[in-house]
């Protein structure tokens, strides 16, 4: 007799979801006992870390990850991570256990009101009407997660797994996807581009693929346009060492208008137009700038204040646009300089507490007192010297993010990964999933000590499974970004610093190898050694670097 559990295993095999990321409870035991040898079980010690590891795995593979959570407590603990997975476009099927179907009406212990617990962040929440419907529900969830690149929840009562399954009654059908036609109507967009004298491109996370980069490079060179990276993007949409890369677009209206001064067309590829952080009065872009948006995400297109929005694969749109524009005229005038000076790494502008612009300190080693604390710039300069070109850099160091992006540019797709949602607790576990899915690429995570505490238990998973991630923990003993924001409103914050916190000591207790660094010599030695081992087999390494708090932050 085939059971619902065995039929679901078959669905997972057909969908290449043979790795289970989980922190289970009693409602999941029946699914997990005597797990077949071809299914791999990955335990994380908190549900946020479970979804975080699965997110890294799914982002790297662009295929759904399988997540198993425990009723209300498990799903509730994971909601923040699920929200991040949705905004980061990480496809996953999240099976959530429920109490026994036969007495759910009485709301027994551990019965969960699960359908609305994660709000609107799942693409869909499926509650199979019968045990027989579970395998087909998992198959349906897989197809939806893959098509729309996000999390889908399936709620399964615990007694369903041992119920008999009759494939003749209802089948988890094999679904064959018809390829989306490659023909895209870009005539209107091509006219906008052809009419522009000073076009500017904004590259978004949705363009982070090898084909996406190659085609957008070709377009930028064809129309001689500077390319900015979207504000607060989760991925890089353009090679940041290319001469036309202009930097990271600011996230407030006055500075956006300043950056785009002189442009007459803003072409946004792979994101919405345009993500902001602090509210400021005035228009989003300078007067006279036409805006066109290209995104595969309908929500991004619909909410963008644009003259034209194309809902389509950005790679295919740019391909079609290049074909329609044709080669550059051979008798054209010499290429005009970009509106902004191309630079690698780009200059990063910050704001002082008074609101006046100032540059972040990119000081040479000789400019610094050797007895003063290390600063973020010292760490990132040393890090840039040792990282291979194909490094996957995972970021969760809010106060020093602008400086990190300026000094360690993304040079290949997946060269930068962050939490587009803005919540903490993503980078530590996501780095594990990324490395598991991409064992041949170096994976390095730069994490603040405050940020690390949101998912520090994920380090146990890396140690237990011997996953070779390098974490750089920026230990400034406080929430530096919060301190800077408090200074802007000229207020005194109620939160304390925590100089006694040592993420390194916690990491050691969780089984990781740890190096503590508080001077330039130790930093250089630690990074040189770690850099030489990034491609070698071996377990995780955490370098805890004592740094002075960043005094500038530019959202």
């Amino acid at each position: 007799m085939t059971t619902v559990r065995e039929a679901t295993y078959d669905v997972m095999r057909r969908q290449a979801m043979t790795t289970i990321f989980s922190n289970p409870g009693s409602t999941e035991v029946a699914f997990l006992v005597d797990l077949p040898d071809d299914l791999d079980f990955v335990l994380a010690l908190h549900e946020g870390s479970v979804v975080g590891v699965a997110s890294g795995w799914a982002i790297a593979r662009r295929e759904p990850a399988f997540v198993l959570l425990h009723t209300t407590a498990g799903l509730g603990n994971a909601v923040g991570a699920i929200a991040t997975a949705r905004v980061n476009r990480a496809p996953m099927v999240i099976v959530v256990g429920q109490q026994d179907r036969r007495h759910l009406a009485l709301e027994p212990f551990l019965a969960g009101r699960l359908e609305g617990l994660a709000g609107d962040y799942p693409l869909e929440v499926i509650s199979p009407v019968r045990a027989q419907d579970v395998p087909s529900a998992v198959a349906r969830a897989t197809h939806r997660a893959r098509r729309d690149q996000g999390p889908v929840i399936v709620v399964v009562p615990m007694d369903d797994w041992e119920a008999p399954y009759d494939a003749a009654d209802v089948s988890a059908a094999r679904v064959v996807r018809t390829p989306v036609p490659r023909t895209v109507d870009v005539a209107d967009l091509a006219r906008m581009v052809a009419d522009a004298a000073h076009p500017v491109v904004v590259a978004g996370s949705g363009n982070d693929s090898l084909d996406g980069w190659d085609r957008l490079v070709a377009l930028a060179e064809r129309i001689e346009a500077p390319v900015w990276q979207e504000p607060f993007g989760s991925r890089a949409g353009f090679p940041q060492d290319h001469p036309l890369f202009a930097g990271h677009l600011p996230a407030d209206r006055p500075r956006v208008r300043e950056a785009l001064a002189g442009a007459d067309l803003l072409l946004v590829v792979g994101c919405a137009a345009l993500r902001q952080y602090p509210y400021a009065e005035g228009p989003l872009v300078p007067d006279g700038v036409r805006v066109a948006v290209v995104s595969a995400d309908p929500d991004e297109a619909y909410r963008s204040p644009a003259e034209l929005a194309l809902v389509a694969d950005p790679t295919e749109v740019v391909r079609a646009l290049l074909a329609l524009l044709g080669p550059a005229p051979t008798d054209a005038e010499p290429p005009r300089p970009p509106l902004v000076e191309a630079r690698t790494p780009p200059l990063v502008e910050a704001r002082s507490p008074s609101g006046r612009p100032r540059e972040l300190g990119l000081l040479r080693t000789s400019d610094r007192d050797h007895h003063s604390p290390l600063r973020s710039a010292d760490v990132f300069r040393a890090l840039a010297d040792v990282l291979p070109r194909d490094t996957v850099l995972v970021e969760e160091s809010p106060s020093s993010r602008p400086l990190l992006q300026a000094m360690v540019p993304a040079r290949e797709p997946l060269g930068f990964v962050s939490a587009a949602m803005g919540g903490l607790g993503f980078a530590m576990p996501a780095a594990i999933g990324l490395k598991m899915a991409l064992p041949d690429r170096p994976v390095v995570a730069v994490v603040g000590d405050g940020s690390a505490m949101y998912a520090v238990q994920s380090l146990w998973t890396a140690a237990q499974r011997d996953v070779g991630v390098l974490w750089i923990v920026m230990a400034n003993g406080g929430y530096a970004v919060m301190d800077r924001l408090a200074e802007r409103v000229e207020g005194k914050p109620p939160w304390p610093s925590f100089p006694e916190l040592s993420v390194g000591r916690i990491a050691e207790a969780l089984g990781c190898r740890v190096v503590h660094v508080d001077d330039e010599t130790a930093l250089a030695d630690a990074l040189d050694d770690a850099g030489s081992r990034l491609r070698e087999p071996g377990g995780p390494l955490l370098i805890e670097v004592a740094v002075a708090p960043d005094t500038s932050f530019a959202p």
Side-chain angles (χ1 to χ4, degrees):
M1 178 190 71
T2 299
T3 64
V4 166
R5 176 180 64 174
E6 292 165 337
T8 303
Y9 290 162
D10 287 340
V11 171
M12 295 166 63
R13 292 181 181 107
R14 289 198 299 271
Q15 299 296 337
M17 292 192 304
T18 55
T19 300
I20 300 170
F21 301 94
S22 182
N23 185 281
S26 57
T27 53
E28 293 70 55
V29 170
F31 178 76
L32 292 172
V33 293
D34 299 323
L35 196 68
D37 291 341
D38 64 327
L39 300 182
D40 186 20
F41 181 83
V42 178
L43 177 66
L45 303 184
H46 184 274
E47 292 85 356
S49 291
V50 170
V51 175
V53 175
S55 293
W57 172 274
I59 287 169
R61 298 171 72 245
R62 298 179 183 268
E63 285 290 323
F66 187 92
V67 175
L68 184 66
L69 301 178
H70 175 51
T71 192
T72 307
L75 179 57
N77 282 344
V79 167
I82 292 170
T84 296
R86 173 66 180 273
V87 180
N88 274 23
R89 300 180 62 80
M92 62 183 69
V93 175
I94 304 173
V95 172
V96 182
Q98 175 65 288
Q99 245 284 10
D100 194 302
R101 187 185 290 273
R102 293 167 293 188
H103 67 163
L104 266 180
L106 303 178
E107 289 206 12
F109 180 66
L110 291 181
R113 301 180 184 182
L114 303 172
E115 280 72 14
L117 186 55
D120 293 332
Y121 287 109
L123 293 169
E124 187 176 356
V125 178
I126 304 171
S127 294
V129 176
R130 307 173 300 162
Q132 282 281 302
D133 301 325
V134 169
S136 60
V138 171
R140 168 182 158 189
T142 308
H143 299 308
R144 179 71 193 278
R146 179 180 292 120
R147 185 192 72 187
D148 296 334
Q149 294 289 290
V152 178
I153 290 175
V154 182
V155 178
V156 182
M158 60 192 295
D159 58 310
D160 283 7
W161 297 119
E162 294 302 328
Y165 179 76
D166 183 0
D169 180 25
V170 58
S171 175
R174 176 174 175 264
V175 176
V176 178
R177 297 180 66 205
T178 302
V180 176
R182 293 167 63 93
T183 302
V184 183
D185 184 0
V186 297
D188 290 340
L189 181 61
R191 281 190 287 270
M192 291 179 70
V193 171
D195 290 344
H198 295 289
V200 173
V201 174
V202 172
S205 304
N207 197 58
D208 187 32
S209 68
L210 185 58
D211 282 347
W213 280 32
D214 287 347
R215 289 177 182 173
L216 195 56
V217 165
L219 178 62
E221 292 176 347
R222 168 65 179 80
I223 64 176
E224 302 165 16
V227 180
W228 292 87
Q229 176 66 35
E230 66 163 316
F232 287 108
S234 64
R235 310 261 284 276
F238 189 85
Q240 295 173 358
D241 58 349
H242 190 279
L244 286 174
F245 182 63
H248 294 79
L249 198 64
D252 65 77
R253 295 181 182 216
R255 289 189 295 150
V256 168
R257 295 194 296 268
E258 181 182 351
L260 301 180
D264 57 1
L265 172 66
L266 180 64
L267 176 58
V268 181
V269 180
C271 62
L274 286 165
R275 204 168 199 194
Q276 300 287 283
Y277 179 29
Y279 176 74
E281 295 288 348
L284 184 61
V285 299
D287 292 340
V289 177
R290 306 174 75 187
V291 179
V293 172
V294 178
S295 174
D297 185 341
D299 289 341
E300 288 184 344
Y302 296 153
R303 69 172 180 264
S304 296
E307 179 179 333
L308 175 66
L310 291 181
V311 181
D313 180 353
T315 305
E316 293 305 321
V317 171
V318 175
R319 177 192 62 79
L321 183 59
L322 281 165
L324 206 56
L325 291 174
T330 56
D331 58 346
E333 296 179 3
R336 59 182 178 267
L339 295 176
V340 293
E341 181 185 354
R343 50 199 183 258
T344 303
L347 294 175
V348 177
E349 190 179 272
R351 297 266 163 176
S352 69
S354 66
R356 291 189 298 272
R358 67 184 180 195
E359 286 186 7
L360 290 171
L362 303 181
L363 299 183
R364 299 180 300 275
T365 300
S366 59
D367 295 331
R368 192 174 63 82
D369 182 349
H370 288 274
H371 298 290
S372 62
L374 288 168
R375 293 178 303 178
S376 297
D378 301 316
V379 179
F380 301 154
R381 184 184 302 105
L383 189 62
D385 287 342
V386 302
L387 293 187
R389 181 178 182 84
D390 63 340
T391 296
V392 180
L393 182 67
V394 190
E395 177 274 331
E396 198 170 280
S397 182
S399 64
S400 56
R401 171 173 169 149
L403 189 58
L404 175 65
Q405 291 179 312
M407 299 185 71
V408 190
R411 294 175 288 175
E412 291 192 7
L414 275 180
F416 177 83
V417 181
S418 186
M421 191 65 189
L424 302 179
F426 169 79
M428 275 198 154
I432 299 169
L434 283 158
K435 184 64 175 179
M436 291 175 65
L438 302 169
D440 296 330
R441 286 187 69 171
V443 176
V444 177
V446 176
V447 185
D449 53 354
S451 300
M453 293 307 297
Y454 284 77
V456 70
Q457 69 284 121
S458 61
L459 295 174
W460 178 87
T461 302
Q464 194 264 342
R465 295 187 66 92
D466 208 32
V467 181
V469 175
L470 170 62
W471 284 279
I472 310 295
V473 173
M474 310 291 286
N476 59 27
Y479 292 132
V481 67
M482 293 293 292
D483 294 339
R484 301 293 81 76
L485 291 171
E487 290 173 359
R488 289 189 180 187
V489 297
E490 299 180 352
K492 181 179 180 181
W495 52 85
S497 298
F498 34 83
E500 64 283 348
L501 173 65
S502 173
V503 176
R505 289 200 297 270
I506 299 170
E508 288 172 333
L510 292 169
C512 289
R513 186 164 67 93
V514 175
V515 176
H516 301 270
V517 167
D518 61 5
D519 63 63
E520 282 185 292
T521 300
L523 175 67
D525 290 345
L527 289 179
D528 284 346
D529 181 63
S532 67
R533 300 170 183 265
L534 285 172
R535 297 189 191 279
E536 297 178 3
L541 170 65
L542 186 144
I543 301 177
E544 184 176 40
V545 186
V547 294
D550 289 288
T551 57
S552 299
F553 169 64

